[in-house]
Amino acid sequence: MPLDAETALADTPPGHKDELRLWLRLLTCANLIEAEIRRRLRVEFDTTLPRFDLLAQLERHAAGLTLGDISRRMMVSNGNVTGLAARLEEEGLVERRVSATDRRAQSLRLTPRGRREFARQSAAHEGWVAELLGGLGAAEREALHRLLGRAKASVQSGLQENGP
Amino acid sequence: MPLDAETALADTPPGHKDELRLWLRLLTCANLIEAEIRRRLRVEFDTTLPRFDLLAQLERHAAGLTLGDISRRMMVSNGNVTGLAARLEEEGLVERRVSATDRRAQSLRLTPRGRREFARQSAAHEGWVAELLGGLGAAEREALHRLLGRAKASVQSGLQENGP
DNA sequence: CCCCGATAGTTTAGGCTTCAACTATTTTGC
DNA sequence: GCAAAATAGTTGAAGCCTAAACTATCGGGG
């Protein structure tokens, strides 16, 4: 039986224990869901979460996105996107085209096959999430969504303080 | 069944958008905090989150833990722990000792230096989390903690269904 | 006692991720 | 115009992570 960070935190020294417990539970929750989604993407579609996420970005922008756009939207480094895009292109799910107006830039688009693949994956994915969070009532989901919004705002203002 | 991109998106079965939005917000929240913690661990202590987590496990069990224990508690593969432990040992933060009763097993313990290092990191870490979540009031933290507990239970029962 | 299944760790191959250094191109400021 | 700064993307080194195959050891049932 697998323990987790939260269970293991029996007693921490005094201070900001509350916030720490909250963070550990948030992390545990996110990790549980994410691990299951990764697992299902692998066994059902032989793919990975980052690939899925990149396709999802392209799906929302049929006109194409530059690698830089994708990097910003996915909040990952641009070196990361280089490799991801290379693998997806090799698999024939995306295609690149050098920009007509900026020879440094290239835009990525789904191929027809990429679009078909993603449609299947996306439908399944939505079902998985609904299944995993199905134990919550609509009111609970709403309240959780709102509080997470507050938490997000708190974090972002915390980051702001030591800004550029 | 030929369906194009627009259809796939606009036509997704109703009712599951809610759960998806909730999941995406949960993920964003966790990622924001985690990325900031990773960043600070790197710039302030030149270390990483997995290293920190492993030390945290050992800190709570002065008697030592086997690699398998750590693997279960951290919810990562045992091959992963092999590598982490090797790096921490090389840095002199951790020491291994082969079990007296089972020659397959070895237990890991903090070295004095490891204990000192972790104490510094841990104190800072706790402060960072408190700072990032400081925008929430105590009642909000409490409510969020409770709802995340409900979410965790929902996910775990969702996993149970396709269990061993 | 001995084989056999279970358990503890390691190894390997491959993917993900970052940072920092690099190339190529575009934009800006003078 | 043109040098300098900014931007787009690639590369390389290093760490993290997994699944699967492997080694070594332990424990129990014949």
Side-chain angles (χ1 to χ4, degrees):
Chain A
M1 175 179 186
L3 299 174
D4 56 51
E6 183 184 325
T7 325
L9 181 71
D11 43 12
T12 22
H16 309 294
K17 195 171 157 188
D18 249 27
E19 288 90 338
L20 203 46
R21 270 218 317 271
L22 176 54
W23 161 235
L24 292 177
R25 179 165 286 185
L26 174 58
L27 185 59
T28 298
C29 231
N31 283 347
L32 274 176
I33 300 175
E34 188 174 326
E36 181 65 9
I37 289 176
R38 285 180 191 272
R39 194 184 67 76
R40 295 194 192 185
L41 281 174
R42 180 172 53 79
V43 304
E44 310 255 330
F45 296 111
D46 190 27
T47 188
T48 67
L49 190 51
R51 277 164 158 95
F52 175 82
D53 287 343
L54 200 158
L55 296 184
Q57 294 299 330
L58 294 184
E59 167 69 37
R60 287 205 278 276
H61 300 271
L65 289 173
T66 68
L67 299 201
D69 288 338
I70 294 172
S71 161
R72 277 182 293 274
R73 286 170 195 276
M74 292 178 67
M75 297 195 292
V76 300
S77 70
N78 48 4
N80 191 348
V81 175
T82 294
L84 230 30
R87 283 184 286 271
L88 287 170
E89 187 182 23
E90 196 183 8
E91 292 175 29
L93 302 178
V94 308
E95 61 190 3
R96 21 181 18 130
R97 177 185 316 186
V98 173
S99 159
T101 65
D102 184 342
R103 269 183 301 175
R104 293 167 306 176
Q106 48 194 277
S107 74
L108 242 54
R109 298 166 51 172
L110 289 178
T111 62
R113 181 162 153 246
R115 201 180 316 280
R116 275 198 311 276
E117 272 299 301
F118 178 73
R120 289 174 55 230
Q121 296 173 7
S122 176
H125 174 265
E126 193 169 316
W128 300 336
V129 172
E131 176 191 339
L132 292 172
L133 293 176
L136 267 53
E140 285 177 317
R141 287 199 304 268
E142 165 59 26
L144 189 46
H145 190 265
R146 194 188 63 78
L147 283 168
L148 285 171
R150 295 269 305 132
K152 183 173 159 186
S154 167
V155 172
Q156 280 171 332
S157 86
L159 299 187
Q160 214 66 5
E161 275 160 24
N162 323 330
Chain B
M1 55 173 180
L3 74 159
D4 66 63
E6 273 74 23
T7 336
L9 261 192
D11 204 19
T12 32
H16 294 169
K17 285 299 182 197
D18 244 28
E19 288 90 336
L20 201 48
R21 270 217 323 270
L22 175 55
W23 162 234
L24 292 178
R25 179 164 286 186
L26 174 59
L27 184 58
T28 299
C29 230
N31 283 347
L32 273 177
I33 299 175
E34 188 175 325
E36 180 65 8
I37 289 175
R38 284 180 191 272
R39 194 184 67 76
R40 295 193 191 187
L41 281 173
R42 182 171 51 80
V43 304
E44 311 254 330
F45 297 112
D46 191 27
T47 188
T48 67
L49 191 51
R51 277 163 158 96
F52 176 80
D53 286 344
L54 199 159
L55 295 185
Q57 294 298 331
L58 294 184
E59 168 68 36
R60 289 202 277 273
H61 300 271
L65 289 171
T66 67
L67 298 200
D69 287 338
I70 294 172
S71 161
R72 278 181 292 275
R73 285 170 195 275
M74 291 179 67
M75 296 194 291
V76 299
S77 69
N78 48 4
N80 190 351
V81 175
T82 294
L84 273 176
R87 282 184 287 271
L88 287 170
E89 186 181 24
E90 195 183 8
E91 292 173 28
L93 301 179
V94 149
E95 62 189 4
R96 17 175 28 124
R97 178 185 316 185
V98 173
S99 160
T101 65
D102 184 343
R103 270 181 301 173
R104 293 168 306 176
Q106 49 193 278
S107 73
L108 243 53
R109 298 166 50 172
L110 289 178
T111 62
R113 182 162 153 245
R115 200 179 316 280
R116 274 199 310 276
E117 273 300 300
F118 178 74
R120 291 173 55 228
Q121 297 173 6
S122 176
H125 174 265
E126 192 170 317
W128 300 336
V129 172
E131 176 191 339
L132 292 172
L133 293 176
L136 266 53
E140 285 177 318
R141 287 200 303 268
E142 165 58 27
L144 188 46
H145 190 265
R146 193 187 64 78
L147 283 167
L148 286 170
R150 295 270 304 133
K152 183 173 159 185
S154 168
V155 171
Q156 280 171 334
S157 86
L159 299 187
Q160 215 62 7
E161 275 160 23
N162 322 330

